[in-house]
Amino acid sequence: MPVAYAADDREPTYVIDRVSVIDVTAAGQNAAINSDRRVLIRAGRIATVGDLTLPIPEGAVTIDGTGKYLVPGFWDMHAHLPAERAYQTTVLNLMLANGVTAFRDMGTDLSLPELKHMKAELAGGKLDAPQLLASPLLVVSGREGRQSAVATDDAHFEVETAREAENLVDFVRNRHIDFIKIYDSVPRDAYFGLMRRAARLGVETGGHVPMQISVREAVAAGQRTVDHARELPIACAPGVAEELQTYYLDQPEARFVGRWKNPAFAKLVGRTVDEYDPAACALLFKEMVAAGTYYVPTHGTRRFDALAWVPEFRDDPKLAYIPTEGRAEWREEAERYGILPWSVRSDLVRFYFHGLRLTGDAYRAGVNILVGTDTPDSYIIPGFSYQLEMNQLQEAGLPPLAILKAATIEAARFMKREGDYGTIAPGKVADIVMLSANPLTDIGNASHIDAVFRAGRYLNRTALDGLLDEARENADDNND
C-alpha cells in the first residue's frame, strides 16, 4: 500500500505564491484564469485565496508558483480497484502521479467488508493515494448454482427475476452500500424490478445498459449514469438498436457473451455508423438532459477495440508499470482482435471515431459528461489513461474548460460533495494539481504536472516520480 502517516504527523502551512488559479465554474475560458494569486493551505484545506498583499503566516513553507496553474484534483468516475494488494498500490500510485485525487469504483473482486476498509483507509488523506469516493454492489444476471444475493458479503450479486432484484435493492439500502452497478447480462424483468425498487427507496444506479434494454428505456427508468461509448452509437441507430435488443431477447443465453465476441453484435458495428439518425440522437439527448442522466464515455476502451491489432499500440512503453501476468492477459485479449476480418477491424475504427463525435454532440446538447477511464481494463493504464481520456474529450469537441469542469466540479456535484471539493476556494479540501503549462490552451497540458496536493499533503515532482518508480519496481518484482 502507499505510505501511511501517523495522526500527529502534521503538514505545515503552505503558501503557493504568484500562481494562476483556474476557476472551473467560470462561464468562459477568458474569465477562468486569475493570475498572481497567493493561496494558503492549512490543516488539509484551502485557507485563503487572495492577491499578493495577503500576509504570509510566520513559518509557512512558500512554493513559487510563477508560471504555474492550479486546478482542482481530477476525479476518475469509472475505475476498478484490483483485489491484489501490490497491484492496488500500483494503480493508486499511477493515479495520483497523474493528478487523480479521487475515484469512483465501478466493480471489484474485493468483498464488501474489504471495500469498506479500503474506503476508510483512503478517506483521510493520510496515505499518498487518491480517495475512494464510492464503491458499488455489482449486479449481473444469475445462472444455475448462483448463491443467494442476500447471504454473502461478496460485492458481486446475481439476479435473474424481478423479485430477486427487488430483494437485492432492499439489501443494498439496509447495508448502506453506495450504489448499484448494473452489468450487461441483467435480464429485462429483473432490470425493471430493480429500477422500480431503487427509485422507491432512493438507491442510486449506474453503469452498463443491459443487452435486453434500450438506452432510452434506461434513461426513463432513472439510471443515473450511462457508461461506455458503445451505448450512444447503438442508440442513435434505432434500427440496429431494435435488431440487437430483439436478438438478445430471443437468445437470452447470448447476453452472457461479451458484446465484441458475439457475431450478432460484431456484424452490426459498422451499421451503427452508416445508419446514424441525427433526429433520434437529438431526442435521446433531450431525454437525458431532462432526466439528469450523466454520460461517462470511457473512450479509451473503444480506442482499445480500434487499435488492439496494431503492434505499436500493444508495445506501449508504459506497460512497464503493469505486472507480467496482467500484461499477458492484455496481450491475449488484444490478439483476439488481430484475427478478426479486416472489415470488422475497420468498422471498429469507424465506431470509435463515431463515438467521439457523439460525445461532442451530447455535450453541445447539454448532457452532463463525466471523465472515467475503466482503469485497469485492457491497455487502460491507470492515471495515464485519465490524461488520454481528457485528450479524447478534446478531440470529441469539448473545450478545455468544459473538460476541466467534467473532471472536477461536475464530478463533485454528481457525488453531492461540492461543498468540500471541485474548486479552489477557501474551506475546500486541498486536493490540488499544479501544472507547468496552461490547460485552457490545450487540455494536453493537464499532463504537465509540477506537484499535487492530496488533502493538504504536498507531493512535489520528486515525490510524484517516486510513486512512478515504486509502481515500476512492483511490476519488476512481479516479473521476476
Side-chain angles (χ1 to χ4, degrees):
M1 282 295 294
V3 177
Y5 299 91
D8 60 353
D9 184 16
R10 300 172 186 270
E11 286 289 308
T13 295
Y14 290 101
V15 175
I16 309 174
D17 210 22
R18 301 182 182 278
V19 72
S20 293
V21 175
I22 294 181
D23 177 9
V24 295
T25 66
Q29 296 199 172
N30 292 335
I33 295 183
N34 298 298
S35 303
D36 286 328
R37 299 287 91 184
R38 181 169 287 167
V39 179
L40 273 63
I41 298 171
R42 181 186 296 118
R45 291 188 178 256
I46 299 167
T48 316
V49 179
D51 60 24
L52 299 181
T53 64
L54 185 70
I56 297 178
E58 184 177 352
V61 174
T62 301
I63 300 166
D64 184 8
T66 304
K68 305 299 195 317
Y69 300 82
L70 294 187
V71 294
F74 307 135
W75 286 19
D76 190 335
M77 297 301 285
H78 192 120
H80 297 274
L81 187 65
E84 199 274 318
R85 199 72 167 171
Y87 200 15
Q88 283 178 12
T89 298
T90 292
V91 169
L92 297 172
N93 282 5
L94 296 179
M95 281 182 169
L96 193 60
N98 282 277
V100 177
T101 58
F103 67 100
R104 177 176 177 244
D105 181 72
M106 293 296 286
T108 177
D109 288 331
L110 292 171
S111 69
L112 290 172
E114 288 171 329
L115 274 171
K116 183 178 180 180
H117 175 74
M118 281 294 298
K119 190 176 179 183
E121 196 171 25
L122 296 175
K126 292 185 171 58
L127 298 178
D128 287 343
Q131 178 182 186
L132 173 56
L133 295 165
S135 55
L137 177 147
L138 178 63
V139 178
V140 299
S141 176
R143 279 182 156 180
E144 186 177 355
R146 66 188 186 278
Q147 292 184 334
S148 166
V150 296
T152 175
D153 278 324
D154 194 349
H156 294 69
F157 291 79
E158 300 174 341
V159 297
E160 190 67 19
T161 68
R163 181 61 181 271
E164 288 178 337
E166 292 167 356
N167 290 341
L168 188 60
V169 175
D170 293 341
F171 175 79
V172 167
R173 188 192 188 205
N174 292 337
R175 292 289 294 271
H176 305 290
I177 297 168
D178 295 320
F179 67 103
I180 294 174
K181 158 74 181 292
I182 298 167
Y183 202 62
D184 293 356
S185 55
V186 177
R188 187 174 179 83
D189 288 346
Y191 176 81
F192 286 115
L194 184 151
M195 295 303 296
R196 285 192 297 269
R197 192 72 156 195
R200 191 176 305 128
L201 298 182
V203 173
E204 184 175 313
T205 59
H208 296 201
V209 174
M211 294 175 178
Q212 294 185 348
I213 310 297
S214 72
V215 176
R216 290 185 66 190
E217 287 177 318
V219 170
Q223 186 167 316
R224 194 158 182 236
T225 67
V226 171
D227 296 58
H228 305 310
R230 63 179 174 230
E231 306 298 354
L232 292 193
I234 295 170
C236 291
V240 174
E242 183 177 353
E243 191 171 329
L244 275 171
Q245 189 175 352
T246 299
Y247 171 80
Y248 286 116
L249 286 167
D250 291 345
Q251 310 282 339
E253 283 298 305
R255 60 194 161 87
F256 294 102
V257 180
R259 292 179 194 246
W260 306 111
K261 299 172 187 175
N262 191 319
F265 182 80
K267 73 179 183 180
L268 295 176
V269 170
R271 281 181 51 198
T272 63
V273 183
D274 298 333
E275 299 179 23
Y276 163 63
D277 183 341
C281 219
L283 177 60
L284 172 62
F285 295 155
K286 184 178 180 180
E287 291 169 346
M288 292 176 73
V289 171
T293 309
Y294 285 74
Y295 185 45
V296 193
T298 70
H299 285 294
T301 50
R302 302 289 74 82
R303 183 174 181 268
F304 167 73
D305 299 329
L307 300 178
W309 56 277
V310 178
E312 291 80 3
F313 177 84
R314 295 201 303 263
D315 295 332
D316 188 329
K318 292 187 288 295
L319 289 171
Y321 295 112
I322 305 301
T324 298
E325 183 179 353
R327 200 183 309 171
E329 290 175 358
W330 290 6
R331 180 168 286 273
E332 182 180 345
E333 181 73 14
E335 287 172 351
R336 295 193 186 105
Y337 288 78
I339 62 175
L340 292 172
W342 170 248
S343 60
V344 175
R345 282 184 276 163
S346 62
D347 281 345
L348 288 172
V349 173
R350 293 199 301 141
F351 189 85
Y352 165 61
F353 284 106
H354 185 54
L356 288 175
R357 171 191 173 184
L358 294 184
T359 295
D361 290 344
Y363 160 73
R364 286 183 287 274
V367 175
N368 286 316
I369 309 293
L370 297 175
V371 185
T373 62
D374 213 10
T375 192
D377 202 0
S378 297
Y379 289 84
I380 308 297
I381 299 170
F384 295 101
S385 62
Y386 194 91
Q387 297 290 341
L388 177 61
E389 190 70 22
M390 289 197 287
N391 288 337
Q392 289 173 108
L393 289 174
Q394 182 169 266
E395 189 175 351
L398 275 68
L401 180 58
I403 299 168
L404 288 176
K405 286 183 177 181
T408 58
I409 185 59
E410 289 302 333
R413 286 170 178 158
F414 174 86
M415 296 297 302
K416 299 180 175 61
R417 301 184 71 176
E418 67 270 29
D420 285 322
Y421 298 94
T423 59
I424 297 174
K428 298 292 183 78
V429 173
D431 281 4
I432 299 171
V433 181
M434 185 159 70
L435 305 172
S436 59
N438 185 357
L440 295 179
T441 59
D442 180 351
I443 201 62
N445 289 335
S447 65
H448 297 180
I449 297 175
D450 189 77
V452 172
F453 283 85
R454 168 67 186 103
R457 184 172 292 281
Y458 175 49
L459 293 93
N460 61 15
R461 187 63 255 177
T462 299
L464 298 176
D465 288 340
L467 295 177
L468 296 177
D469 290 343
E470 183 182 7
R472 190 184 294 268
E473 289 167 6
N474 283 345
D476 289 341
D477 291 342
N478 186 272
N479 295 341
D480 291 340

